Amino acid sequence: MPVSSVVTRFAPSPTGTLHIGSARTALFNWLFARRHGGQFLLRVEDTDKKRSTESSTQAIYRGMEWLGLDFDGAPVSQAANANRHAEVAYAMIVAGHAYKCFATQDEIATFRDAAHAEKRSTLFRSPWRDVTETDHPDVPYVVRLKAPRDGQTVIKDQVQGDVTIRNDQLDDMVLLRSDGSPVYMLAVVVDDHDMGVTHVIRGDDHLNNAARQIQIYLAMGWDLPVYAHIPLIHGPDGKKMSKRHGATGVEEYQAIGYSAAGMRNYLTRLGWSHGDDEFFTDVQAQSWFNLEYIGKSPSRFDFKKLANISGQHIAHTENATLLHELEGYLAIIGEPALSDVQKATFLTGAYCVKVRAKTMGELFEKSSFMFDDRPLNLEKEAKLSLGLVSIGILNELTPQLQNVIWEREALETLVGHIAQAHETKMGNLAGPLRAALSGRMASPSVFDMMLVLGRNETIARLNDIS
Ligand code: GLU
């Protein structure tokens, strides 16, 4: 197969938030397509009218955009293809691979009760499977798959290996309901075929579906896609990831402030590996990702590791990109947007705050000295660190800042001299200086803050506390 013919898809049902597990499925599909120069498509599986909502569809778009999972072409709505799904069901009838079933709900229930009592398989065996058209009554019917009853179906799965299902365990599943609407199992196959999907990478909760979906491909004489069913994500305790463990929706992770690049890196590594590499860039992930190294067992979510990876990515992210991401984060948590001046200051000062921030929240907090307006609102403890003695020393320092060369070395020398003159260590001056310049007890180094704030703002902040 020429490499560029790879087509993957993400097929979420818009019935809630974008779950972190679904996001990882999307990510794997995206990486695989990008790795092979192929296409990554989005199909919104909105056939369940009662449960599908527009707000959920929008949450899927937003989540994917935040994670940088750009899809090719326009998103496909599954519901919009209902006529085509029905057309395929009828084509299957013509080809002898499907049939009209007139059994009523009561008849099916009676069949099941009897099978149960006799300890036989309760898979419904319709009496209409081999009845010819001329003997059909003029009443509502469903269309059922004429599933093979002999032999076996093998799912050649890239993650799970060969999974064999005995065909006598397959039922003649319904393809079209009595109102003519297609069932999900039919819709998925028809859409995947029509969209030219070559690789179906999805959660292993769909593995059983694959055995039944394959029957539709075979009946229509369509090429099977390559399957890769990936294990689910578990919480730190090894149980299926749920609200109990913490955030489950992608937007919650964005609101916590993890970096998008860090999130991609962490989720890629969660269930897939490239040797011992823990930290990697998108370019690396896109050139390494393969199906062979997806693990077979469920991975455990580790919030601490995610925070570490997120921090490493924040430190490595270029300032302009970081600013953009910070702005997105502030919008999500409802903080006012940054002014042009604040943005410009951030671009200059990001170097001294991004090295120790694990999340956008921490980054914002460490950057507050750049964003806060004078006079600063000093934290209680910062206020306490400004004793009379230190204010006296700072008062002595302030006029001298007027003439010093505004460079790190000169500033360090000046502050060093003042400390010496007062027979104290430079470190003892750092606390009060920090309080005056940032209003806080924890901040970047005082010299970094001076350099970022510039002479006038530094002097003005020192004058504010004198
Ligand atoms: N819509 C299905 C889901 O959200 C996915 C179907 C598929 O990937 O084949 O679980």
Side-chain angles (χ1 to χ4, degrees):
M1 177 172 54
V3 281
S4 59
S5 69
V6 165
V7 179
T8 64
R9 52 51 163 194
F10 175 46
S13 305
T15 53
T17 56
L18 178 57
H19 190 274
I20 194 73
S22 304
R24 187 190 57 164
T25 299
L27 174 67
F28 280 14
N29 278 283
W30 177 77
L31 283 171
F32 191 74
R34 296 292 171 256
R35 158 92 199 259
H36 293 283
Q39 297 214 344
F40 168 60
L41 309 178
L42 174 66
R43 180 173 71 237
V44 180
E45 303 214 312
D46 48 0
T47 36
D48 186 340
K49 298 249 164 45
K50 281 199 210 87
R51 295 179 61 226
S52 303
T53 63
E54 180 53 28
S55 68
S56 171
T57 305
Q58 293 305 324
I60 291 167
Y61 293 150
R62 281 197 306 274
M64 291 181 71
E65 190 182 342
W66 174 59
L67 279 174
L69 305 181
D70 55 324
F71 48 87
D72 298 299
V76 170
S77 152
Q78 186 159 66
N81 296 338
N83 290 343
R84 166 70 180 146
H85 304 148
E87 181 185 302
V88 170
Y90 283 102
M92 286 172 67
I93 295 182
V94 173
H97 292 296
Y99 60 93
K100 294 179 185 174
C101 171
F102 300 88
T104 62
Q105 289 303 322
D106 284 348
E107 285 163 355
I108 296 172
T110 309
F111 174 92
R112 293 234 159 91
D113 289 346
H116 200 74
E118 292 163 30
K119 296 196 167 43
R120 283 189 281 116
S121 159
T122 52
L123 285 185
F124 179 57
R125 298 299 191 204
S126 170
W128 297 97
R129 185 172 153 113
D130 296 311
V131 176
T132 48
E133 188 88 33
T134 43
D135 294 327
H136 284 173
D138 188 16
V139 292
Y141 58 86
V142 298
V143 175
R144 286 184 186 274
L145 170 78
K146 199 181 258 188
R149 291 191 174 163
D150 304 321
Q152 52 191 31
T153 298
V154 181
I155 308 163
K156 293 193 160 304
D157 195 274
Q158 297 293 297
V159 176
Q160 314 285 339
D162 284 359
V163 180
T164 304
I165 314 267
R166 277 181 18 219
N167 287 344
D168 63 7
Q169 291 177 349
L170 298 172
D171 64 346
D172 285 356
M173 67 172 165
V174 172
L175 299 174
L176 288 187
R177 299 185 189 90
S178 55
D179 63 1
S181 63
V183 300
Y184 157 77
M185 296 284 262
L186 172 67
V188 169
V189 173
V190 174
D191 288 347
D192 279 343
H193 169 265
D194 289 358
M195 291 162 75
V197 172
T198 58
H199 292 71
V200 170
I201 305 167
R202 61 186 175 189
D204 67 7
D205 47 336
H206 288 284
L207 184 62
N208 282 335
N209 290 344
R212 309 211 289 168
Q213 291 171 358
I214 284 174
Q215 309 311 326
I216 302 175
Y217 282 97
L218 296 177
M220 292 303 292
W222 291 340
D223 286 343
L224 286 174
V226 173
Y227 284 108
H229 286 94
I230 57 182
L232 301 182
I233 298 177
H234 283 180
D237 60 359
K239 303 221 170 82
K240 197 174 156 193
M241 182 89 171
S242 72
K243 285 258 172 255
R244 276 183 306 119
H245 300 109
T248 52
V250 165
E251 285 188 297
E252 294 172 71
Y253 286 84
Q254 186 183 13
I256 293 170
Y258 296 113
S259 105
M263 201 76 207
R264 279 194 295 279
N265 180 163
Y266 178 71
L267 286 179
T268 304
R269 182 65 191 81
L270 192 65
W272 173 85
S273 58
H274 183 265
D276 292 332
D277 292 311
E278 295 289 345
F279 174 85
F280 39 79
T281 63
D282 287 326
V283 174
Q284 287 172 317
Q286 288 183 11
S287 66
W288 293 339
F289 189 79
N290 58 6
L291 303 178
E292 290 84 332
Y293 292 132
I294 295 177
K296 265 193 188 173
S297 40
S299 31
R300 290 189 187 205
F301 207 93
D302 181 339
F303 287 92
K304 213 166 142 200
K305 207 158 147 185
L306 167 61
N308 276 327
I309 296 278
S310 167
Q312 288 183 55
H313 277 276
I314 289 175
H316 277 80
T317 304
E318 200 222 324
N319 293 354
T321 312
L322 203 54
L323 172 60
H324 182 71
E325 191 160 0
L326 180 62
E327 290 184 272
Y329 166 74
L330 295 179
I332 284 271
I333 62 163
E335 279 282 331
L338 298 178
S339 69
D340 287 346
V341 175
Q342 288 174 321
K343 288 187 217 174
T345 313
F346 180 81
L347 289 176
T348 319
Y351 77 92
C352 67
V353 287
K354 67 184 194 182
V355 279
R356 274 176 226 96
K358 290 194 166 69
T359 59
M360 290 294 142
E362 284 182 26
L363 184 73
F364 183 52
E365 171 127 2
K366 286 182 202 305
S367 304
S368 64
F369 82 94
M370 297 186 239
F371 300 145
D372 291 348
D373 287 329
R374 296 184 31 237
L376 299 185
N377 205 351
L378 269 61
E379 275 175 1
K380 199 166 144 222
E381 283 173 28
K383 220 179 248 168
L384 288 176
S385 76
L386 287 172
L388 276 184
V389 178
S390 40
I391 290 188
I393 303 177
L394 294 186
N395 283 345
E396 199 180 313
L397 169 70
T398 311
Q400 299 193 45
L401 289 174
Q402 209 55 263
N403 301 315
V404 69
I405 301 171
W406 209 256
E407 282 171 4
R408 182 182 305 270
E409 216 181 303
L411 290 169
E412 280 178 5
T413 308
L414 173 63
V415 175
H417 279 156
I418 302 241
Q420 220 172 25
H422 289 270
E423 294 181 348
T424 183
K425 285 198 217 117
M426 191 142 89
N428 291 340
L429 267 190
L433 258 177
R434 186 184 301 284
L437 296 179
S438 72
R440 292 164 186 253
M441 294 300 285
S443 75
S445 104
V446 291
F447 298 107
D448 281 326
M449 288 197 287
M450 286 175 157
L451 290 169
V452 172
L453 292 171
R455 191 192 306 270
N456 291 345
E457 181 71 15
T458 300
I459 292 175
R461 289 191 185 192
L462 287 169
N463 282 334
D464 285 342
I465 52 100
S466 64

